Amino acid sequence: MSEALASAGRGHAEPRAVGFVRRFIWLWAVGFGGMLLLAIVFMTAWSATSGFLFDRPIAGDFELVQFGIAIAAFSFLPLCQLARANVIVDSFTLWAGPRLRMAMELLGALVAIAFSIILLWRMSIGMHDYYVHEEYTAIIGIPLWWAFPPMLFSLFLLLIAALISTAETLGLLPRPEPAETPPDQE
C-alpha cells in the first residue's frame, strides 16, 4: 500500500454519518451494555444479600446473569473494533514496520467483517429455532430467543465498525484523533 493511499483520508473531515455511527456505537456499548452490567451487579448483590439475610435470593438470578452478560459482551464488540482493541498482540507489532502494521490491521478488520457476517447469519438461524421451538429458561421461564435481538444488533454494529476501520486503514476515511494521554501516563 502506498503512502499516498495511506494518507489519502487524513486531513479531511470525517463524514457526518460516520461520526454519528461512532457516537451511536459508543452509546450502545457504554449506555446500553454498561448499564446492563451495572444492573446485573446490583441484582446479584441484592440477591446475595437477601439470600444471606432473609434466605430469599432472587429466583433465577443466574439465568438473568447469563442473559445479561451475553448481551453486554456483544454490545462492547463494535466499540472494541472502532478502538482497535479487539485482538492486539504487541509482541508481534512492536518490531513491525508501518507497512506491516497496516497490513495486519487491515487483515484484522477483514476478519472482523467475516466474523460479524457469519455470526449474524448463524445466530439469526439460532434465534429463529429458539422462537419456533419455544424454549425457555428452567427457573423463571424467559424465552431463550429474547437474548438474540440485541446480540444480532450488536453484530450488525460490529460489521459497520469493521467496515469503518477497514476504510480508515486503507486511507479512505480519516482516523479519529487519539484521546489525550492522561497526565499520570505521560
Side-chain angles (χ1 to χ4, degrees), residues 1-80:
M1 287 172 237
S2 71
E3 291 301 317
L5 179 62
S7 64
R10 293 183 179 92
H12 299 288
E14 180 175 77
R16 275 189 170 176
V18 175
F20 173 79
V21 168
R22 280 184 195 286
R23 287 186 297 281
F24 184 81
I25 286 173
W26 185 89
L27 188 63
W28 179 254
V30 176
F32 175 69
M35 291 298 130
L36 183 58
L37 284 176
L38 280 175
I40 291 167
V41 167
F42 288 125
M43 185 268 313
T44 303
W46 177 259
S47 182
T49 303
S50 65
F52 179 74
L53 295 177
F54 311 114
D55 199 26
R56 299 204 47 112
I58 296 173
D61 57 352
F62 65 92
E63 294 174 347
L64 295 171
V65 169
Q66 287 175 336
F67 260 62
I69 294 296
I71 293 167
F74 272 82
S75 73
F76 285 104
L77 289 175
L79 183 60
C80 289

Side-chain angles (χ1 to χ4, degrees), residues 22 26 79 82-84 175-186:
R22 280 184 195 286
W26 185 89
L79 183 60
L82 282 182
R84 289 170 175 72
R175 286 182 184 244
E177 295 297 321
E180 285 187 39
T181 307
D184 61 327
Q185 295 188 10
E186 288 180 359

Side-chain angles (χ1 to χ4, degrees), residues 1-3 5-7 10 84 92-107 168-170 175:
M1 287 172 237
S2 71
E3 291 301 317
L5 179 62
S7 64
R10 293 183 179 92
R84 289 170 175 72
F92 291 118
T93 59
L94 285 177
W95 57 267
R99 291 182 119 177
L100 182 56
R101 272 193 236 138
M102 185 190 299
M104 288 191 291
E105 198 173 288
L106 179 61
L107 177 63
E168 289 171 350
T169 302
L170 292 173
R175 286 182 184 244

Side-chain angles (χ1 to χ4, degrees), residues 74 77 112-128 148-161 163:
F74 272 82
L77 289 175
I113 290 170
F115 172 80
S116 59
I117 290 171
I118 291 168
L119 279 180
L120 269 167
W121 166 48
R122 298 308 301 169
M123 287 184 68
S124 63
I125 292 170
M127 182 183 83
H128 179 262
F148 282 81
M151 290 190 294
L152 288 170
F153 185 67
S154 294
L155 287 171
F156 175 71
L157 291 177
L158 174 61
L159 175 60
I160 293 170
L163 290 170

